[in-house]
């Protein structure tokens, strides 16, 4: 399981639109070896077909696709955008934090979602992620809370 | 009582919603059978309640279940209020 280690985090990334933001978060999964580049295309296809329903909370998006779209390991990356962008969600735009979720069919998938859910259920953690200066800061936060 | 948590693919966000719905129901002391699925399966699945985002709720109009909308999947208070109002 690869969960928000510092090489899966990119802070103050400059994206012009939602697709660039999704691509960047997906690229972190690809660079870590957790997913194939086909997974990025599948996340983008899902966004185009099904819309921005995965913007699950104010300023937070969790793009993902299916495990069979090219994921080898359950994983979560984070891109924090320098300038928030609109995903087209009626209530939760604009998006600042993009957590790409590498879905897997293993039991790790549920463990991973549980970790991510308990992290994001606490507004103090979200504030800390928005305020962090480095990926190491976020890694340290996770060590404490998850 | 059956509650279906619904997202676009039925694998990621609906499972997150299910975890939080189960947390809230436990806190409320309500017994329910909670499952998660994708929007097209949901449209053909009989259930008492469907919980989903506003956006996906549009495509489930006409379903016999009562539809509950949640905007912030990580706000346990919002989920609790929406469930309390609907159940």
């Amino acid at each position: 399981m690869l969960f928000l280690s510092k090489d899966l985090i990119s802070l103050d990334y400059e994206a012009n639109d939602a697709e660039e933001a999704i691509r960047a978060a997906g690229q972190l999964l690809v660079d870590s070896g957790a997913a194939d580049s086909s997974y990025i295309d599948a996340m983008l296809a899902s966004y185009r077909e099904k819309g921005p329903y995965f913007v699950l909370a104010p300023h937070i998006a969790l793009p993902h696709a299916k495990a069979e779209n090219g994921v080898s390991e359950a994983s979560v990356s984070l891109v924090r955008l320098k300038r928030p962008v609109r995903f087209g969600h009626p209530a939760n735009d604009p998006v600042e934090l993009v957590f790409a979720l590498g879905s897997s069919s293993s039991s790790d998938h549920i463990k991973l979602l549980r970790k991510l859910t308990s992290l994001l259920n606490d507004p103090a953690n979200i504030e800390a992620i928005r305020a962090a200066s480095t990926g190491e800061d976020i890694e340290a936060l996770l060590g404490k809370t998850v | 009582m059956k509650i279906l948590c619904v997202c676009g693919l039925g694998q990621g966000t609906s499972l997150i919603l299910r975890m939080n719905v189960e947390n809230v129901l436990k806190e409320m002391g309500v017994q329910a059978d909670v499952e998660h699925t994708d929007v097209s399966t949901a449209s053909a699945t009989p259930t008492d309640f469907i919980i989903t985002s506003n956006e996906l709720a549009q495509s489930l109009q006409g379903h016999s279940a009562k539809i509950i909308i949640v905007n912030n999947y990580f706000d346990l208070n919002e989920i609790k209020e929406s469930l309390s109002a609907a159940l």
Side-chain angles (χ1 to χ4, degrees), chain B residues 44-77:
Chain B
T45 306
T47 179
D48 301 307
F49 297 94
I50 287 176
I51 306 186
T52 190
S53 64
N54 186 27
E55 231 182 348
L56 295 178
Q58 311 292 331
S59 49
L60 289 164
Q61 276 175 2
H63 197 291
S64 61
K66 180 159 187 179
I67 297 182
I68 303 168
I69 290 169
V70 172
N71 280 318
N72 184 343
Y73 282 34
F74 300 112
D75 183 342
L76 297 178
N77 288 326

Side-chain angles (χ1 to χ4, degrees), chain A residues 91-146:
Chain A
N92 296 331
D93 265 348
V95 170
E96 181 184 4
L97 303 178
V98 182
F99 294 90
L101 181 63
S103 307
S104 110
S105 48
S106 70
S107 61
D108 275 357
H109 183 56
I110 291 173
K111 282 187 215 152
L112 183 100
L113 289 177
R114 242 179 240 296
K115 275 163 83 90
L116 188 60
T117 302
S118 58
L119 177 73
L120 297 179
N121 277 352
D122 185 347
N125 291 335
I126 295 172
E127 272 319 301
I129 291 170
R130 293 175 87 163
S133 312
T134 63
E136 282 87 347
D137 290 351
I138 294 175
E139 240 186 19
L141 169 77
L142 298 180
K144 272 185 257 162
T145 57
V146 187

Side-chain angles (χ1 to χ4, degrees), chain A residues 12-145:
Chain A
D12 304 322
Y13 186 85
E14 296 195 41
N16 292 310
D17 58 28
E19 293 210 4
E20 277 186 26
I22 293 169
R23 212 180 280 283
Q27 192 61 46
L28 291 170
L29 298 181
V30 172
D31 291 344
S32 72
D36 295 335
S37 59
S38 59
Y39 192 69
I40 300 177
D41 298 331
M43 287 195 295
L44 291 169
S46 168
Y47 172 53
R48 289 175 197 139
E49 282 162 29
K50 298 173 197 292
Y53 75 87
F54 55 85
V55 184
L56 294 192
H59 320 304
I60 299 177
L62 266 73
H64 59 288
K66 293 186 176 183
E68 56 266 35
N69 295 129
V71 177
S72 51
E73 188 164 2
S75 44
V76 179
S77 67
L78 165 64
V79 165
R80 187 178 74 192
L81 297 172
K82 185 165 187 176
R83 289 182 313 274
V85 298
R86 303 196 79 78
F87 275 55
H89 192 282
N92 296 331
D93 265 348
V95 170
E96 181 184 4
L97 303 178
V98 182
F99 294 90
L101 181 63
S103 307
S104 110
S105 48
S106 70
S107 61
D108 275 357
H109 183 56
I110 291 173
K111 282 187 215 152
L112 183 100
L113 289 177
R114 242 179 240 296
K115 275 163 83 90
L116 188 60
T117 302
S118 58
L119 177 73
L120 297 179
N121 277 352
D122 185 347
N125 291 335
I126 295 172
E127 272 319 301
I129 291 170
R130 293 175 87 163
S133 312
T134 63
E136 282 87 347
D137 290 351
I138 294 175
E139 240 186 19
L141 169 77
L142 298 180
K144 272 185 257 162
T145 57

Side-chain angles (χ1 to χ4, degrees), chain B:
Chain B
M1 176 170 62
K2 185 171 167 182
I3 301 177
L4 217 49
C5 300
V6 176
C7 77
L9 298 171
Q11 293 186 347
T13 56
S14 57
L15 198 48
I16 289 174
L17 184 58
R18 177 183 170 175
M19 287 170 183
N20 277 342
V21 165
E22 284 175 338
N23 286 340
V24 167
L25 289 172
K26 201 169 157 190
E27 203 183 301
M28 292 165 69
V30 175
Q31 290 280 341
D33 172 19
V34 186
E35 291 177 20
H36 67 280
T37 190
D38 66 277
V39 66
S40 49
T41 308
S43 58
T45 306
T47 179
D48 301 307
F49 297 94
I50 287 176
I51 306 186
T52 190
S53 64
N54 186 27
E55 231 182 348
L56 295 178
Q58 311 292 331
S59 49
L60 289 164
Q61 276 175 2
H63 197 291
S64 61
K66 180 159 187 179
I67 297 182
I68 303 168
I69 290 169
V70 172
N71 280 318
N72 184 343
Y73 282 34
F74 300 112
D75 183 342
L76 297 178
N77 288 326
E78 184 193 338
I79 295 174
K80 191 174 182 177
E81 278 165 26
S82 307
L83 281 172
S84 306
L87 298 185

